[in-house]
Every structure is written in C-alpha cells, then in structure tokens.
Amino acid sequence: MKKEFFGIEIDLDKIPQHIGIIMDGNGRWAKEKGLERHKGHEKGYQVLKDIVEFNKEVGIKTLSFYAFSTENWNRPEKEINFLFSLAKKLATEYRKTLLENKIRLTIYGSKDRLPQDLVNTLWDIEEETKEFNNYTLNMVFNYGGRKEIIDGVKKVIDDIKNNKINIEELNEEKFSSYLYHPEIPDVDLLIRTSGELRISNFLLWKVAYAEIWVTKTFWPDFTPKEFIEAIKNYTERERRFGKV
Ligand code: FPP
C-alpha cells in the first residue's frame, strides 16, 4: 500500500520495522542561537515527541532514541541533571499520551549510577505499558553498546557456571537473548542528525546490518518531512545482508 506525505510517496510494505535515531546537535543548535545548551535539549525533547506523534500516520513499529549515553556522564553536572529531568518529564507528563495511544515505553540501558527516584519512575512506566504491542518507544538511556555486550557476557558466564546453558549452544540468536531487550528487533534504519558519520556506541549489536542515513540538520530542527525522506531513501535501497 502506498501513502503520500509532503508530496513524497512511501510504499508502506517496505518501511523499516525499527528506526534508531541518534539525536545529535542540540548543543550546536543552541550555541548558534546564542542560547544555553539546555535550551537545545529542551527543543530536542519537543522534536522527539513530534516525531512519535507523526509516526502514528507512518506506522514504524519501533522507534529508538539515543537520549543519554554512558559517555554523557562526562558532561557538566548541570547538563546531566537537565537531561534527567527531561527523562522524568517523559515518564510523568507524557505518560498519559503513552497510555491513551497504547504506546509501549521501553528503557534500553543500565540502572547503574542513576538516581533511585529516576530508576523507579522510568522502569515503572516500562512495567505499566509492557502489554502494549502496537508501537514501542524505546528510550536508549544510560546506555553504552560495549557495556550492553559485557553485561550480556557476564550473564552468559553465570548461566554456564550454573549449568543453565552449554557453551556449544551459544550462537548469535542465543547471545541476543542475554542483551537488554531481546524482543526488540534489529535496527533497520539508523538516522543521525548534525552530519556526524559515527555510530557512537549506539545499539551496537542491533545496528549490525542497519542502513545509515545522515542529515546535516541539528536535531532541534529535524522535521517529520526529513523523517519521511529518510524512510523513502530506505525503501529504495537493496539490502543484501552480505549476500550478492
Ligand atoms: C546530543 O546533542 C544529544 C544528547 C546528548 C541528548 C539528547 C536528548 C534530547 C534530544 C532530549 C530528550 C531527552 C530525554 C532524556 C527524554 P549534543 O548535546 O551532543 O549536541 P552537540 O554535539 O551540538 O553539542
């Protein structure tokens, strides 16, 4: 089935199941406008919600947003706290919208080092929305790809020690089941804003075969139209997964 958005025709049978988004450029957006960095994150938060809202018309099943990486702990405390307050806002003020629209919210990351009240708020809403299976809003939060893999390795070793699995059983599929949210499929399309050509430790295991689309636009200026352009581009690619 075909559907048109902003004069761009999309073949809905070919759209990605899972889009991962590296929302980059909030700081530079603010700087360009002579604003403090947190203003960029504030606008970025609004754009995130706009894309989720717009996606109701497109129908991408899973959207993952890179909201806080393990490397972001190196930022000034004030900025970290601001990002935490946005995460809390998402789980509290935005909660109603998630419930009304039956959107499942998953938190993809580690609880390590996070303030306990934030852990409770985020993982409570994950629990509350876990039965929704139409759309998943996946917040990649306090996340590092290498940490995810190491956390998985530790769990595998535990299971081997406790005779729950044999080493021979371990293959890619089995190992995936030890990662944070095994039920979330691989990323089909990875969008990165602000023109940087990097993966930045984002969903390392799941981006193995992702198609990558980069725009120079800073995240706070990203629009549904660009979202559609990325999807259109994806639907026109030939994915070979290493085959000829
Ligand atoms: C990268 O831009 C962006 C982030 C580190 C945070 C992204 C967060 C949001 C868009 C807000 C939503 C957040 C939550 C927690 C719900 P940057 O600050 O690295 O920009 P720069 O590279 O221009 O400095």
Side-chain angles (χ1 to χ4, degrees):
M1 199 180 78
K2 306 232 159 81
K3 197 169 173 184
E4 202 178 292
F5 304 91
F6 314 107
I8 301 168
E9 195 179 66
I10 299 286
D11 183 349
L12 292 180
D13 299 323
K14 291 188 176 168
I15 59 173
Q17 268 201 69
H18 182 185
I19 298 184
I21 307 185
I22 303 180
M23 311 180 283
D24 199 9
N26 293 351
R28 278 163 285 164
W29 179 90
K31 194 173 175 204
E32 246 183 33
K33 295 192 152 35
L35 302 168
E36 283 187 62
R37 290 180 58 83
H38 76 271
K39 287 285 177 196
H41 297 316
E42 201 170 75
K43 177 77 189 341
Y45 174 74
Q46 187 54 49
V47 172
L48 183 161
K49 290 200 298 182
D50 291 347
I51 295 296
V52 173
E53 174 66 25
F54 174 69
N55 185 49
K56 284 199 278 178
E57 292 173 48
V58 190
I60 307 295
K61 289 273 186 190
T62 304
L63 293 179
S64 292
F65 292 91
Y66 206 2
F68 190 80
S69 72
T70 43
E71 291 73 24
N72 290 152
W73 283 105
N74 297 319
R75 297 194 172 202
E77 200 181 331
K78 197 173 145 206
E79 184 170 344
I80 294 174
N81 286 335
F82 191 76
L83 288 168
F84 287 179
S85 75
L86 288 180
K88 205 160 184 182
K89 199 161 143 172
L90 189 93
T92 49
E93 287 175 26
Y94 197 53
R95 178 176 164 272
K96 196 164 162 268
T97 310
L98 294 169
L99 297 174
E100 276 169 11
N101 291 289
K102 295 199 176 343
I103 297 173
R104 175 179 177 223
L105 180 79
T106 44
I107 312 299
Y108 203 98
S110 159
K111 294 176 183 173
D112 296 354
R113 293 178 72 183
L114 292 178
Q116 192 56 43
D117 68 317
L118 183 58
V119 169
N120 294 345
T121 314
L122 291 178
W123 272 270
D124 278 1
I125 176 98
E126 177 176 281
E127 181 63 24
E128 203 177 0
T129 60
K130 73 173 185 205
E131 302 298 338
F132 299 151
N133 53 17
N134 250 349
Y135 293 108
T136 301
L137 165 55
N138 184 32
M139 292 310 293
V140 183
F141 194 79
N142 197 21
Y143 176 83
R146 289 182 172 181
K147 176 164 168 52
E148 177 186 22
I149 292 169
I150 290 176
D151 285 351
V153 168
K154 287 180 181 164
K155 285 190 242 163
V156 171
I157 293 172
D158 259 357
D159 276 4
I160 292 174
K161 278 191 195 152
N162 295 316
N163 293 319
K164 288 191 182 150
I165 64 158
N166 296 314
I167 292 184
E168 293 71 35
E169 272 179 74
L170 195 62
N171 54 22
E172 291 183 13
E173 196 191 339
K174 188 78 190 172
F175 184 66
S176 302
S177 71
Y178 286 90
L179 298 174
Y180 293 157
H181 271 286
E183 77 289 2
I184 294 180
D186 279 356
V187 175
D188 300 305
L189 171 63
L190 170 63
I191 296 178
R192 181 165 192 152
T193 57
S194 97
E196 308 289 347
L197 302 172
R198 283 193 293 275
I199 304 283
S200 298
N201 213 9
F202 179 63
L203 299 181
L204 282 188
W205 185 271
K206 291 193 199 297
V207 299
Y209 288 98
E211 298 292 325
I212 302 180
W213 190 87
V214 174
T215 171
K216 287 217 160 81
T217 306
F218 292 145
W219 176 252
D221 282 332
F222 188 77
T223 58
K225 181 159 183 271
E226 270 194 292
F227 184 64
I228 286 296
E229 282 165 3
I231 294 169
K232 173 74 177 173
N233 181 276
Y234 172 88
T235 61
E236 288 170 343
R237 292 192 198 183
E238 187 197 348
R239 299 184 80 196
R240 295 205 300 271
F241 299 97
K243 292 181 270 203
V244 287

